[in-house]
Amino acid sequence: MTPPNIFYSTALLTAGICCFIVGLLVLQRRPFTPGSIPLMVFLLAMCWWDISYGIFWGGVMKPSPYFWLDISYIGVVIVPATFFIFAMQISGRQEWLKTPLLIGLYVEPLLVLVLMWTDPWHNLFFAGKRLLNTGMILNAGPVFWGNVVYSYLLLLITFILLVRRFMTTSGIYRRQLGVVIAGAGVTWLNSFIFVTGLSPFPNADNTPFSFTIAAF
């Protein structure tokens, strides 16, 4: 097991609490604005991801060594879908959110979680690489990589939608979209940092921080 890192754990817990507070503020102040509900869910999913991953890095092992790491994956699979729906709504593409698409967006995270938690029965998620995923789930089987490709595809479509909308608007709405695009860009910058090995947190996943920044 990876030794505890109290600094990293505290930073994650703080980020999670902030996401929870902002999510409640969104619900309180803008409950009927297009994009408010998926943004709130996005923030609460980030809260879950940050806090559960923070508990893991705090050295809490019960009820099993990987419990909190695996539980954090609930937030991991929810975040891309909610960010995508948020972008659809604020870019005026609500008509694309038909029932079949929404069902797919809801079912994929659930299916990935079920396959991850039942991995000992079929070995499709970890593919025998459980011991390699001590501090983060970085290398696993076909279900894991399928979800990675799916998530990045959603984020890419989200980014393109926002940029296209930005190019056709003006005034305050254009500035608002610019802020959202800057937030989305943080996630891509983080991916570059992570892939090139420049992460300031060795053996840890800094992705929760990038999405937390994007959420704000």
Side-chain angles (χ1 to χ4, degrees):
M1 281 295 298
T2 301
N5 187 322
I6 300 303
F7 171 77
Y8 188 51
S9 175
T10 302
L12 284 165
L13 294 174
T14 303
I17 293 171
C18 290
C19 283
F20 180 76
I21 293 172
V22 176
L24 292 183
L25 287 174
V26 171
L27 179 63
Q28 179 185 11
R29 301 186 63 181
R30 304 287 185 180
F32 304 111
T33 303
S36 63
I37 297 302
L39 178 59
M40 182 194 67
V41 176
F42 174 62
L43 283 159
L44 295 181
M46 279 309 315
C47 169
W48 180 281
W49 188 355
D50 287 334
I51 290 179
S52 54
Y53 198 45
I55 293 173
F56 170 78
W57 277 99
V60 179
M61 297 176 60
K62 295 179 180 180
S64 68
Y66 297 108
F67 176 79
W68 291 106
L69 176 61
D70 292 349
I71 282 293
S72 72
Y73 220 70
I74 294 175
V76 174
V77 297
I78 291 176
V79 160
T82 52
F83 199 22
F84 174 76
I85 295 173
F86 168 71
M88 284 282 192
Q89 292 189 359
I90 67 168
S91 61
R93 301 287 184 176
Q94 293 96 326
E95 71 276 6
W96 290 14
L97 296 173
K98 302 297 184 181
T99 300
L101 177 59
L102 289 174
I103 291 176
L105 292 171
Y106 297 150
V107 168
E108 194 275 344
L110 181 61
L111 181 61
V112 169
L113 290 173
V114 169
L115 290 172
M116 182 182 74
W117 290 331
T118 59
D119 182 75
W121 299 348
H122 48 70
N123 213 29
L124 290 175
F125 189 90
F126 290 107
K129 300 176 182 178
R130 172 82 269 194
L131 294 178
L132 298 177
N133 297 279
T134 55
M136 53 184 161
I137 302 175
L138 183 61
N139 186 13
V143 172
F144 167 80
W145 286 112
N147 181 64
V148 169
V149 172
Y150 168 81
S151 298
Y152 271 97
L153 183 61
L154 278 185
L155 293 175
L156 178 60
I157 294 172
T158 297
F159 196 74
I160 292 172
L161 282 174
L162 292 172
V163 170
R164 290 188 62 181
R165 186 64 172 175
F166 176 82
M167 298 300 292
T168 59
T169 57
S170 61
I172 188 171
Y173 192 60
R174 183 184 179 93
R175 292 195 293 273
Q176 290 174 341
L177 279 172
V179 173
V180 176
I181 291 170
V186 171
T187 63
W188 292 105
L189 176 62
N190 172 77
S191 297
F192 174 78
I193 292 172
F194 195 72
V195 169
T196 54
L198 299 176
S199 173
F201 304 107
N203 302 318
D205 189 356
N206 56 321
T207 305
F209 287 116
S210 70
F211 273 104
T212 298
I213 294 170
F216 287 128

